[in-house]
Amino acid sequence: MSTRKGGTSPEPLGMNLSYRVGDDRACVEENRRRFFGALGFASQSSAIPLQCHSDRIECVTGPGDYESCDGLITATPNLPLVITVADCLPVVLYDPMAGVVANVHAGWRGSVQGIVRKAVVLMQNQFGATPETIVAYLGPSAGVCCYEVGREVAEVFASEHHQVRGDKTYLDLKLANRDQLLRSGLKPGNIEVSAACTICASEIFHSYRRDRERSGRMMAVVSIVEAKGL
């Protein structure tokens, strides 16, 4: 996952990787070249969903932009799956036995619609994955420490997934998605959850909640890397 660090865009954008936030296109292109180059591939070789806060997931076999979806699944080696975030939760799933990976953009709307559960079901139905062998990583996102939501949002989540402190309510998006994965059959020990809050860690992560229109975007990437020389 990228951070704010190491980019060429004027602050506070820094390492912004999105063309959609008013950044200079040449800066974004150079930022992408640096980020993807550090991972060992070109950005043009990746698959990227054009996110819309939905529960739609595409199974893909080649690079390109994928319209109106918020998750991608592949069993194709050397095909990076990329999602864009700036507070929403990146969820990476991998079944080493079935040889399939997924990358999911789980905002609160997608989480309510069960997007990570649907990703697990697709991995099972389309690629023969087994929940017990799937490993998951829930990356940096808005944390329950800072992610204030209105009553109308809190009410669509279970009570254990939000906290009331004083007259404010805070959503635990990571816990909601972790519980969704557990209900899908993943083992607790196979789920890693980042403790980092994108809103708190202003020096490290972009945050739309914190910076609004001045916020850049980060990318989370996963790929099945084909071993060379085998």
Side-chain angles (χ1 to χ4, degrees):
M1 183 166 172
S2 68
T3 68
R4 292 181 61 185
K5 302 294 186 180
T8 62
S9 300
E11 290 298 331
L13 293 173
M15 179 59 88
N16 165 56
L17 298 172
S18 172
Y19 293 115
R20 301 181 177 184
V21 297
D23 196 359
D24 182 84
R25 188 174 184 87
C27 290
V28 179
E29 288 175 350
E30 174 60 17
N31 291 346
R32 288 191 176 197
R33 187 194 68 79
R34 292 184 182 188
F35 176 59
F36 288 109
L39 299 177
F41 56 86
S43 61
Q44 295 83 355
S45 69
S46 61
I48 304 178
L50 302 181
Q51 299 161 195
C52 56
H53 294 278
S54 70
D55 63 343
R56 291 188 290 275
I57 302 166
E58 293 282 347
C59 297
V60 301
T61 58
D65 294 338
Y66 290 85
E67 297 280 351
S68 303
C69 64
D70 283 82
L72 299 174
I73 300 174
T74 194
T76 303
N78 304 316
L79 175 60
L81 306 181
V82 180
I83 61 164
T84 305
V85 290
D87 284 330
C88 290
L89 179 66
V91 180
V92 173
L93 304 171
Y94 172 48
D95 187 332
M97 303 302 294
V100 58
V101 292
N103 205 356
V104 177
H105 167 253
W108 74 261
R109 291 179 179 85
S111 298
V112 167
Q113 297 175 79
I115 188 169
V116 297
R117 176 184 58 80
K118 292 175 181 178
V120 172
V121 171
L122 272 174
M123 291 172 73
Q124 290 178 267
N125 293 345
Q126 300 296 320
F127 300 95
T130 305
E132 291 80 6
T133 59
I134 293 175
V135 294
Y137 174 68
L138 282 62
S141 69
V144 68
C145 51
C146 299
Y147 192 12
E148 183 183 351
V149 296
R151 179 178 298 177
E152 71 284 357
V153 173
E155 287 177 347
V156 297
F157 285 87
S159 59
E160 62 266 26
H161 297 150
H162 53 82
Q163 298 177 6
V164 177
R165 302 197 294 271
D167 60 350
K168 297 180 179 180
T169 303
Y170 298 85
L171 180 62
D172 195 335
L173 197 59
K174 295 175 186 177
L175 180 60
N177 281 275
R178 181 180 183 274
D179 286 350
Q180 203 172 124
L181 291 171
L182 290 173
R183 289 194 300 271
S184 298
L186 273 70
K187 295 180 178 179
N190 285 350
I191 304 173
E192 180 181 352
V193 182
S194 169
C197 170
T198 49
I199 302 174
C200 281
S202 59
E203 295 300 313
I204 304 173
F205 301 115
H206 291 297
S207 167
Y208 181 78
R209 272 299 184 103
R210 184 186 64 238
D211 298 329
R212 296 295 176 181
E213 286 72 20
R214 300 172 69 244
S215 172
R217 300 293 187 273
M218 301 171 291
M219 284 181 170
V221 184
V222 64
S223 179
I224 300 170
V225 179
E226 199 168 46
K228 296 180 179 179
L230 297 178

